[in-house]
Each structure stands twice: as structure tokens, then as C-alpha cells.
Amino acid sequence: MKISSKHTPSLLIVLTNILASSAFTAQNSKLPTFKNQISIPRTRCILPAVADGEGQPPKLTQQEEDDLQWDFFLKHHARGKWRGTWISYDYMGDIVDSTVASVNLQHDREQNTVTHSHDVVIGETTSDCETCFDSSNVRTFPVANYAQGNLARSRCASIAMACGPTLMRSQAMNTELILSFGDGRVRVVYQHAPVWEKGVEPGSGPPQGLKLFRTMVSRETLEDGPPTFESESENKPARGSPKFFRPVPPFLWHKKWAGTSWTWGPENGDRGWQIQELDEVDAWHGRPTGDDNNVWSMRLPGGILLQCPRVITSGRGQLCRLAWLPEDEGEVGTEADGDPAKLLRVEASVIALEPVIDEENDTMRFKPPSLGSLRCDVLQKFGELENVSILEKLKNMGEMDSKDDGNILPGDDEIGYFDSDTEGGGVGGLSP
């Protein structure tokens, strides 16, 4: 199907508004379709545009891409103060730090710019009397200013956003992934530090890899304070916003899922897709320990799954992932009865340690780390898996050995499920 070029701008605006919505799911079946362009199982492209000579939608122009990125950023992220508790874990999955803070993304509508800052609680005084209030010492740290066409090292994909990878002064590398849902979001920062092979003196030459040493996770809301089990018990989140502190049995990950996917790559740019049914090979959220022994993973209360490479080596794209079950099926007998469960996923390919040889001076340096690709899936449950025993599958994965039969209960310590074949860590001292 071809669409006349005179209709392209208006169609792009319409699709931008549709794709930017968190309700953009598999129900958008009336949108025009195109031949598959990437290896997402049972998918079809749903971004209408003028077809090129091969019948494929062309890559968006730079202006169209800037408009789309800015719209995603304003709709899902630059919405005010995201308050949460920044919890840092070491390589073994133990908590090493916890800080109450907020990520402030304030949109100036007149200037059409966004100011990014962090409010961090560095001290708190508790009152002894019932009629007095507790006080906190809050410090504000400016981060950046954004404008249309200038999101620095951040890139949006529907409701998701990736920031980085960014090289810090300490030579550690940060990769930040964010998933937004209603008035809440989950933010994770993976931190990798230089490592050398056994027997090689650290610092004696270029590092052989970047090893994960710390992970920061923050559950954030636009409410007056960070989400807690107590606050959610007193004020139950409305439908369409996440309930972070709830039991999520592992079998809830293993369902039939359908919805939409947003992808970006340097060659094809931004693409919107419809997933009619997610195939098992693409259901990485159902394999909590990852697909190979270089995957570090941890599962946290509230249906949060983290996956990233243990070690990033030279010249190879490595996947950092975040999956989240923000909402269960609607309760029977309520207005939400029949509303399906939701699954959100984001994955970013990180490229680092690409060597650049200076033959003239006989030296070598590394290119700055870069984002190789980005994908966000917005899925909803539409059925149960057939001809498969979920209980047997979970037992084979070793997930049904605990006394809680795989439930991660609210109120438990924040130490979640993690997979670690080797002892690690040893590098610390950085804040998220």
C-alpha cells in the first residue's frame, strides 16, 4: 500500500500521538501494515509513511525523528518530580546503599525546554512530639537542560527511555533504562567498571573488559513521597498506575502476550510494530537467568526483572534489559473486571571498548561507548500458554524450591532473586 506524500506530515502527527500513548497496544489492529523488516516474531510494521523503492517505509527525516523523540519525552517522562528510593545493589545482589531522592524533569511550556535536576535527601531529623513534623535536609543538584532536537545522550522508545551509555570520571560506565506506566515508573542504572585478566596488573594497559559492580533501582511516582508498602496500603493506586509492593508469582510471566513494539537502530531509525503473539524465543522475560552464562540477573518484588552482561568486552554489542509487570488482571466484580495484565519490556544494546589504532603514533584509544539499538515492548495478556505445564517449567528453572512457592511477597527485604556463578564486586565508591 502506498500513501501519497502530501498526506505524510498529518499521518506522522497522528501516529506520533497514538504511539506515544501508554494505551498503544495490540488493539490498534486497524492501522496500515507493512512487510516485516526485523526479526520480531509474528510482527508487522504499523508506522505509515511513503514507501521507498522496495515497498518499505523509509527512515524518518531528522526533523521528524526529533519531533517524535520530543513528544515521547514530554508525554512519558518530563512530567514533574519523580520521587523514589534509590537502592543500590552490589554484584552479589546485596543492598549497599539507599537514598530518598527525586528526579525532576520540569517542562517550561513557553520556552519549550526541560530542566533536569535531582533532589537528594542527605539528612533527616525525626520529631519527638506528636504535633511536630519531621524535617529533611534536601540538596538539589542540576543535571542538564533539554530542548527539542537535543536530548543529550537520552533516547526514547514509546514509554521507555535509555540514557547513555555514559563514561564517568571514575572510568566506570553507566547505562540507564526507564519504563513509565501511568503515574509511576521503574528506573535502573547498570554500572560497569574496567577489569583486567588474571595475572595482568590493573592499569598497566588498556582494560580487557567492563565488569558489572553496582546496580541502582528506583521505583518512582509523581505523588508527594516515594512509594512504600505502607503508602500503597493506605492509598491504593488507581487502575492504570502501578502497584509496586504486591506479590507476583513467577508463573505470571508465562502467558500469551500481544501488543506493540518500538524499535530504533542507526540504519533504520525509529519503527513501530504490532506483535500479534510473542513467540517463546523472544520471551526472554520468562528466562530469568538469561540466555548464556554472561548474563547477570535479579528479580525484585512487584514484578521487576533485571538482566545485563556480567562483563562487556571489546567490539560486541551487549544487551541491558528491564522487564516489568506493572498491573495484574482486573479484579472480578469491579469496573476493571476483564482488563488484562500488562507486561512492559525495554532492552538496549551497548557497545563499548571499540579500539581506535593510531598507527602514526603507535598508540591505541577507545571510542566513547554508544547505544547500538533500543527496543520497547508494550504488551498485554490475551490467553494462557497451551500444551505446556507452567509448574513443571518453573520447577525445571529452579523457581519453585522456596517456602513461598516462588512468590516474592511485599514487605520482604529488597534482596531479590539473582544469578551469580562467580564471586565479584570489589569495586565500589560510586553513587548512581
Side-chain angles (χ1 to χ4, degrees):
M1 179 181 67
K2 285 192 175 182
I3 300 175
S4 173
S5 60
K6 67 181 181 180
H7 298 303
T8 303
S10 60
L11 283 172
L12 181 62
I13 294 174
V14 171
L15 260 294
T16 298
N17 292 333
I18 293 174
L19 297 176
S21 171
S22 60
F24 176 54
T25 64
Q27 296 170 337
N28 300 109
S29 57
K30 296 181 181 180
L31 295 174
T33 61
F34 290 88
K35 183 180 178 181
N36 286 359
Q37 302 171 40
I38 58 176
S39 58
I40 300 179
R42 304 186 190 181
T43 62
R44 52 183 181 174
C45 185
I46 53 178
L47 181 64
V50 181
D52 61 16
E54 299 179 356
Q56 303 288 341
K59 183 177 179 179
L60 297 180
T61 66
Q62 187 61 52
Q63 183 60 50
E64 290 170 339
E65 185 174 297
D66 290 344
D67 293 344
L68 193 62
Q69 286 291 308
W70 190 245
D71 187 67
F72 283 155
F73 183 58
L74 294 183
K75 189 174 185 66
H76 299 295
H77 301 284
R79 300 176 54 194
K81 290 191 174 185
W82 294 98
R83 296 175 174 88
T85 302
W86 299 0
I87 303 176
S88 295
Y89 302 85
D90 62 16
Y91 183 86
M92 300 303 295
D94 298 325
I95 294 177
V96 295
D97 189 33
S98 178
T99 302
V100 176
S102 70
V103 177
N104 310 322
L105 294 169
Q106 304 290 352
H107 181 210
D108 185 334
R109 297 183 181 275
E110 293 185 1
Q111 301 294 327
N112 198 25
T113 59
V114 172
T115 301
H116 182 186
S117 63
H118 291 166
D119 288 345
V120 181
V121 177
I122 60 174
E124 188 170 359
T125 302
T126 303
S127 173
D128 294 331
C129 64
E130 297 181 357
T131 58
C132 301
F133 294 97
D134 298 341
S135 62
S136 299
N137 185 9
V138 179
R139 290 188 61 184
T140 300
F141 299 89
V143 177
N145 294 314
Y146 308 114
Q148 189 165 351
N150 180 23
L151 288 179
R153 297 187 64 84
S154 299
R155 171 163 286 276
C156 298
S158 185
I159 62 172
M161 184 164 66
C163 304
T166 304
L167 193 64
M168 313 299 288
R169 291 181 180 178
S170 63
Q171 301 304 307
M173 185 184 74
N174 279 10
T175 305
E176 182 176 357
L177 299 179
I178 303 170
L179 282 170
S180 176
F181 183 77
D183 288 339
R185 67 177 195 170
V186 171
R187 188 169 62 94
V188 57
V189 179
Y190 298 113
Q191 295 184 320
H192 291 78
V195 291
W196 287 260
E197 293 180 357
K198 186 176 181 180
V200 177
E201 181 69 22
S204 61
Q208 277 82 42
L210 298 172
K211 182 178 181 180
L212 179 76
F213 75 97
R214 181 172 292 190
T215 301
M216 191 283 294
V217 180
S218 179
R219 302 168 179 84
E220 300 173 346
T221 71
L222 294 172
E223 302 295 332
D224 293 335
T228 62
F229 177 69
E230 290 74 16
S231 65
E232 288 190 349
S233 299
E234 295 176 1
N235 299 294
K236 184 178 179 180
R239 190 71 183 175
S241 289
K243 186 176 181 181
F244 293 103
F245 301 91
R246 72 188 199 282
V248 180
F251 61 79
L252 291 184
W253 295 94
H254 303 274
K255 306 293 180 181
K256 284 186 176 181
W257 301 100
T260 57
S261 182
W262 191 266
T263 63
W264 172 84
E267 293 186 2
N268 295 325
D270 288 292
R271 287 285 187 267
W273 306 83
Q274 185 177 39
I275 301 177
Q276 297 174 349
E277 181 179 351
L278 196 67
D279 283 354
E280 183 175 359
V281 67
D282 198 31
W284 55 264
H285 59 270
R287 301 184 292 274
T289 57
D291 296 323
D292 58 60
N293 58 10
N294 192 40
V295 175
W296 181 93
S297 63
M298 182 164 64
R299 194 166 57 203
L300 296 172
I304 298 172
L305 174 66
L306 314 178
Q307 290 185 0
C308 77
R310 299 174 187 270
V311 178
I312 296 176
T313 54
S314 174
R316 296 178 54 193
Q318 303 282 339
L319 292 177
C320 293
R321 289 167 163 169
L322 167 63
W324 182 25
L325 292 168
E327 191 171 62
D328 300 328
E329 292 180 297
E331 296 182 14
V332 178
T334 66
E335 294 182 358
D337 191 357
D339 193 15
K342 309 298 190 303
L343 169 63
L344 311 178
R345 311 190 310 175
V346 59
E347 66 176 31
S349 174
V350 175
I351 302 174
L353 299 180
E354 285 189 283
V356 178
I357 307 297
D358 186 348
E359 296 181 356
E360 183 177 346
N361 298 315
D362 194 24
T363 59
M364 185 189 75
R365 59 183 177 86
F366 292 118
K367 292 181 180 179
S370 61
L371 184 68
S373 64
L374 182 63
R375 171 178 172 178
C376 172
D377 301 326
V378 181
L379 307 172
Q380 62 182 23
K381 175 189 170 185
F382 74 95
E384 301 289 340
L385 293 177
E386 300 173 357
N387 302 321
V388 61
S389 170
I390 297 298
L391 183 61
E392 189 65 28
K393 179 179 287 189
L394 295 178
K395 286 182 178 179
N396 292 336
M397 290 181 177
E399 297 191 47
M400 299 297 292
D401 297 331
S402 70
K403 63 180 180 180
D404 297 314
D405 291 334
N407 285 283
I408 300 180
L409 303 177
D412 286 353
D413 290 339
E414 286 290 334
I415 300 177
Y417 175 88
F418 69 95
D419 175 52
S420 175
D421 293 333
T422 60
E423 294 185 0
V427 184
L430 293 181
S431 59

